[in-house]
Amino acid sequence: MSTNRTFTMIKPDAVANGHIGAIINDITTAGFKIIALKYTKLTPEYAGEFYAVHKERPFYADLVSFMSSGPIVAAILEKDNAIEDFRKLIGATNPAEAAEGTIRQKYAKSIDANAVHGSDSDENAQIEGDFFFTAAERF
Ligand code: CMP
């Protein structure tokens, strides 16, 4: 298992608000290398599967509905200490609590529409990356 890769999605709110370019610029400026990149849209079934870990949470239905409401950008990123450094770069899940200069503080509006996803562990980064990308789509 890789210890220096993470998985991200630029969520439908940030895509709709025109922030794809700025967010990718923040990510690469912070030293992350893009290993795989895809512009796509999740079906409700696919979003439900991706977030199955949250199935019992009260926000699950809204989360699935939101994540399938418009196109997203999925990416695998590489950097030393990728999981922790990426979570620092994006800021707290709730943008109201996100530190100054973080991606969520700059581009997110609410805990649901929070601009980006970032994996919380090496294991989930692997699972989430495999969800979107074949081996031939990674460089
Ligand atoms: P993400 O990191 O993509 O993982 C699950 C998502 O659920 C999270 O970002 C939030 O956008 C969303 N969510 C909505 N309500 C909550 C909550 N109370 N706690 C955690 N995540 C929430």
Side-chain angles (χ1 to χ4, degrees):
M1 189 190 303
S2 169
T3 57
N4 58 357
R5 288 189 178 183
T6 190
F7 170 82
T8 189
M9 275 189 282
I10 302 176
K11 297 189 181 186
D13 58 312
V15 171
N17 292 327
H19 297 313
I20 294 176
I23 291 174
I24 290 178
N25 186 52
D26 282 0
I27 290 171
T28 53
T29 300
F32 290 87
K33 180 184 172 200
I34 295 170
I35 301 297
L37 187 69
K38 187 173 284 185
Y39 185 48
T40 186
K41 189 175 178 209
L42 295 169
T43 62
E45 291 71 26
Y46 214 54
E49 207 182 311
F50 183 86
Y51 281 113
V53 65
H54 295 303
K55 212 168 190 150
E56 306 307 326
R57 308 287 291 273
F59 56 82
Y60 178 72
D62 285 346
L63 175 62
V64 168
S65 163
F66 170 65
M67 288 303 297
S68 55
S69 67
I72 58 102
V73 174
I76 296 173
L77 306 171
E78 187 172 84
K79 183 184 179 297
D80 288 347
N81 204 32
I83 298 288
E84 203 184 319
D85 285 2
F86 192 72
R87 288 173 77 82
K88 263 187 217 151
L89 178 68
I90 66 179
T93 304
N94 185 349
E97 294 162 10
E100 186 70 26
T102 58
I103 289 176
R104 283 173 172 154
Q105 184 267 322
K106 291 195 284 184
Y107 306 116
K109 300 267 188 292
S110 70
I111 194 166
D112 299 299
N114 67 352
V116 281
H117 169 83
S119 304
D120 63 4
S121 64
D122 290 332
E123 187 190 5
N124 283 337
Q126 183 78 43
I127 293 168
E128 292 168 2
D130 290 349
F131 206 84
F132 283 88
F133 298 102
T134 65
E137 291 174 315
R138 301 167 196 222
F139 305 98

